Amino acid sequence: MDPTTDNAGRSGDADTARTALEALRAEIAKAVVGQDPAVTGLVVALLCRGHVLLEGVPGVAKTLLVRALASALELDTKRVQFTPDLMPSDVTGSLVYDTRSAEFSFQPGPVFTNLLLADEINRTPPKTQSSLLEAMEERQVTVDGTPRPLPEPFLVAATQNPVEYEGTYPLPEAQLDRFLLKLTIPLPSRQDEIDVLTRHASGFDPRDLRAAGVRPVAGPADLEAARAAVAKTTVSPEITAYVVDICRATRESPSLSLGVSPRGATALLATSRAWAWLTGRDYVIPDDVKALALPTLRHRVQLRPEAEMEGVTADSVVNAILAHVPVPR
């Protein structure tokens, strides 16, 4: 496939779509070094019509990752820097009085895009954080009683710094549950960091992705075809029961004060199907569930204070549950 091909008029073929989406990794790697798991997670979220929470310390290319994905998918993207003084209307839009017509007209906010980068979402108070709830869940924005649909596809990629930093507002559980995946962006390995510095020394400009060689390799038609194929991916009763058993085990864990809800179980089933299809199968196996369990569930559980003081993490609890719950054969 020619990476420079315009995909706007692509006919929706599932095999072609899978090939196109697989090419995203190589294309994004032209701008972002060593973040393949995060790229895969973002693609899974797009296939499931979900949203992603990216967590990592400043400077690990979270913003660049989302911008590169939008460029490689030919999708419109907008960025909102969440600050303590940001108002909900700064995100959703508002009614503006037109002096010429003597009427109010709606001025769309940055949420009217395909990929919304909500940068440092935990830097703004809950009132503004909640302005995204309707957009994420209903894919519309209601202003002055009038619902306005958002473009399709629509994905919120919210970044946040770890909660121990000062001046942050932890996301409430209700909003965390609206994110399909929580992806942790680690610090790069020594060799990856050398590669990053070598690129910058050679003139790489993160603000100019086209100069870096990032080209569209897929488009909305590929996503539509891929979603249709994922919807046909077979899930056996044994796999469904396995997903339920994992989620129910979180509700019984002595380390957790809050386990995974049925919405979380539905999310794990959906992400497992998307991953199965991406890897070339039309049926789900237990390994698919295990592969997506951490990013799908880690933000849907809440540790007990005493467990947190002992150094227990959400990831360690989920991993222990995966090791304990019987795997269907």
Side-chain angles (χ1 to χ4, degrees):
M1 180 180 63
D2 180 2
T4 63
T5 300
D6 182 359
N7 294 281
R10 181 193 300 276
S11 60
D13 177 78
D15 291 333
T16 303
R18 184 187 288 115
T19 302
L21 294 176
E22 287 172 351
L24 283 174
R25 285 194 187 95
E27 203 62 26
I28 293 173
K30 296 176 182 178
V32 181
V33 177
Q35 296 292 359
D36 279 356
V39 174
T40 302
L42 285 164
V43 173
V44 167
L46 281 167
L47 293 180
C48 298
R49 291 182 169 88
H51 309 285
V52 176
L53 185 62
L54 301 170
E55 183 175 274
V57 298
V60 289
K62 300 185 294 292
T63 301
L64 180 60
L65 175 63
V66 175
R67 290 180 52 241
L69 176 69
S71 293
L73 279 172
E74 281 193 306
L75 296 177
D76 182 47
T77 183
K78 290 186 175 70
R79 175 179 176 271
V80 179
Q81 182 66 49
F82 279 67
T83 57
D85 60 348
L86 192 74
M87 299 298 291
S89 59
D90 295 330
V91 178
T92 60
S94 59
L95 293 176
V96 177
Y97 184 71
D98 188 339
T99 55
R100 290 174 296 181
S101 63
E103 293 180 349
F104 285 94
S105 61
F106 178 67
Q107 183 66 39
V111 74
F112 286 85
T113 186
N114 297 124
L115 265 65
L116 176 68
L117 176 59
D119 219 352
E120 295 187 301
I121 191 172
N122 60 336
R123 293 284 182 192
T124 198
K127 179 180 180 180
T128 304
Q129 291 174 1
S130 65
S131 67
L132 283 176
L133 281 176
E134 182 188 12
M136 293 170 66
E137 189 69 18
E138 306 296 336
R139 298 182 180 273
Q140 67 178 25
V141 168
T142 301
V143 176
D144 196 33
T146 303
R148 294 172 171 85
L150 295 170
E152 181 63 36
F154 173 69
L155 178 142
V156 174
T159 72
Q160 71 172 15
N161 298 329
V163 293
E164 63 265 25
Y165 280 91
E166 293 182 3
T168 61
Y169 302 82
L171 293 172
E173 288 76 19
Q175 184 154 4
L176 280 172
D177 205 34
R178 295 305 198 279
F179 285 99
L180 181 72
L181 300 173
K182 179 182 178 182
L183 306 175
T184 56
I185 310 297
L187 288 165
S189 66
R190 180 176 182 273
Q191 186 55 54
D192 285 343
E193 196 163 0
I194 290 173
D195 291 345
V196 170
L197 268 62
T198 300
R199 290 187 181 190
H200 280 265
S202 301
F204 171 71
D205 183 357
R207 290 172 291 275
D208 191 353
L209 293 177
R210 189 154 296 271
V214 179
R215 299 288 185 271
V217 295
D222 293 304
L223 286 175
E224 186 178 348
R227 288 169 172 176
V230 169
K232 297 176 183 176
T233 303
T234 303
V235 182
S236 69
E238 292 78 14
I239 292 295
T240 302
Y242 182 50
V243 170
V244 169
D245 289 344
I246 290 172
C247 294
R248 291 182 68 86
T250 66
R251 302 168 203 162
E252 300 167 1
S253 170
S255 298
L256 299 177
S257 60
L258 179 68
V260 177
S261 67
R263 179 191 288 144
T266 302
L268 181 55
L269 186 63
T271 56
S272 301
R273 294 176 84 185
W275 176 245
W277 180 82
L278 279 172
T279 53
R281 280 178 282 102
D282 60 357
Y283 56 92
V284 179
I285 61 175
D287 283 349
D288 299 324
V289 179
K290 290 181 177 181
L292 272 297
L294 271 181
T296 307
L297 303 182
R298 58 163 59 109
H299 57 298
R300 303 175 191 271
V301 300
Q302 190 173 79
L303 291 167
R304 294 187 184 277
E306 57 269 28
E308 203 164 2
M309 290 177 64
E310 294 172 2
V312 176
T313 64
D315 283 15
S316 66
V317 172
V318 174
N319 278 326
I321 288 172
L322 290 175
H324 174 73
V325 174
V327 180
R329 300 186 180 278

